[in-house]
Amino acid sequence: MRHVIAVLLTTIILGGCAFGDGSGPIPHVDFERTTSFEDNELIIHTTQFDGTRVRLSTLRDAESTGPFATEMPGHEGRAWTLLQKNEGDTFLGYAVVSWNKEDPGDYLAAGWWMHFANQRYPDIDPYHEDTQIYSYIDGPEIDPNNPPSLPAMGTASYSGGAGGRYLYKYGGNWPEGVQGKVSTREIAGIMTLTADFAAGTLEGCWGCAGDLAVQRLHLASAFDRIEEEPVELLAHPKDYNVHFAPVKFNPDGTFLTYEGVTVTHPERSIERIRVGYLAGAFSNRQDSAGNPRLVAGFGGAVFAEEDGSASVISGIFNALSEPFRASAQTQGR
C-alpha cells in the first residue's frame, strides 16, 4: 500500500509502507486547490501523483451522511462517507465540510480518499501495493493563489481539533501473541500552535493539550468495511505528544518541513524518528486582532521504539486563533 499524504491545498501523500525498510513513508505535499462547494455539494477534483484523475461528489457518491460538529464560529458542518465503483478501480473516501450559509465562499473541507487501482468493489485490498491513500484540507481561505497579508510583528496562538490515524506495530516488550502485529485506530486530539510573525516561524504540539483519544469521528469509520478483524489495542496513544520545532513559513503563508519533529511518551522510549512532517497554510481571512484567523494543514511522525515497536501518528488539523474562537460567543448573544 502506498500512503499518499496528498495535501491538496494541501494534499499529502505518504509513499512506501509505514513499517517497511525502516525509513518510513515520505510525505509529498502539493499546495493546490482540490475542492469546490456549491448548493451543499462538495466535489473533490484533482489529479493524483500517478496521473489518475479524481472526481468525487457528495451528491453522487455519498453512501452515508450526518452532522459534523464544526469549531468554526458561524459555520454549519456535515460529514459523508463516499464510495465510487468503476469498471477498473474503486474509490473510498471520507469528507467533512464546515461552511457559512451567509457567505458561500467561506468554507473548509477536509478528509481522505483511498484509490484501489485495478480493483473492483467489493474485492478491494487496502494492503495491495497499488492501493493509495490521500488526505486533504482545502478551502478558499487557504488558497496559495490568494495568499494572506501576514503581520510584520507580534505573535498569535492557535488551537483546534486534529484527527487522523494511529498505527502501532508491537515489539519485544509486548506479549508474544501480538509481537509483529499492528493495531490501527482513528484518533483525535488538540493541535496547539504559536506563530512568531517577526521571526517568520510556527511551532507547536499535537497532544500536549489533553490526550490523543481513540474515537470514530462523526460517522462510523469508513475503514471498518475494509479492515480485517482489528488487533486488540494494547499500546494506547493517549500519552504520546508530537512536538514541532519552529519552522519557517513562506511569504504566501504556506509551510512545509520534515525536520524538527520529536515524539515523547512517559513510559515508552523513543529510539528514533523515521519521518516527521508539518505542512499547511495560514488563512487569508483576519481575526479581530489583524492576524490570520486560522492555520490548517497536516502533521505527524513515524517513529521506532527501543524494543523494536514502531508507530505512525498522522493527522489533519484546523487550529483557530484565540480572538476568532472567542468571536463565537459574541455571535451567540
Side-chain angles (χ1 to χ4, degrees), residues 70-77 98-104 106-107 285 293 320 324-332:
T70 177
E71 295 181 290
M72 295 282 285
H75 276 211
E76 298 184 4
S98 173
W99 77 94
N100 184 342
K101 290 182 67 175
E102 306 301 322
D103 182 359
D106 180 10
Y107 82 87
R285 293 186 176 227
R293 71 178 189 175
L320 312 185
F324 182 44
R325 185 178 296 279
S327 69
Q329 300 176 352
T330 302
Q331 293 174 9

Side-chain angles (χ1 to χ4, degrees), residues 174-181:
W174 297 94
E176 288 187 8
V178 298
Q179 289 180 20
K181 294 184 178 180

Side-chain angles (χ1 to χ4, degrees), residues 188-192 205-213 237-242:
I190 301 298
M191 176 73 83
T192 53
C205 179
W206 185 15
C208 290
D211 293 328
L212 296 183
K238 70 182 184 70
D239 290 325
Y240 284 109
N241 294 333
V242 184

Side-chain angles (χ1 to χ4, degrees), residues 94-119:
Y94 177 76
V96 299
V97 177
S98 173
W99 77 94
N100 184 342
K101 290 182 67 175
E102 306 301 322
D103 182 359
D106 180 10
Y107 82 87
L108 277 175
W112 52 264
W113 75 84
M114 298 181 75
H115 180 214
F116 300 88
N118 304 310
Q119 300 176 65

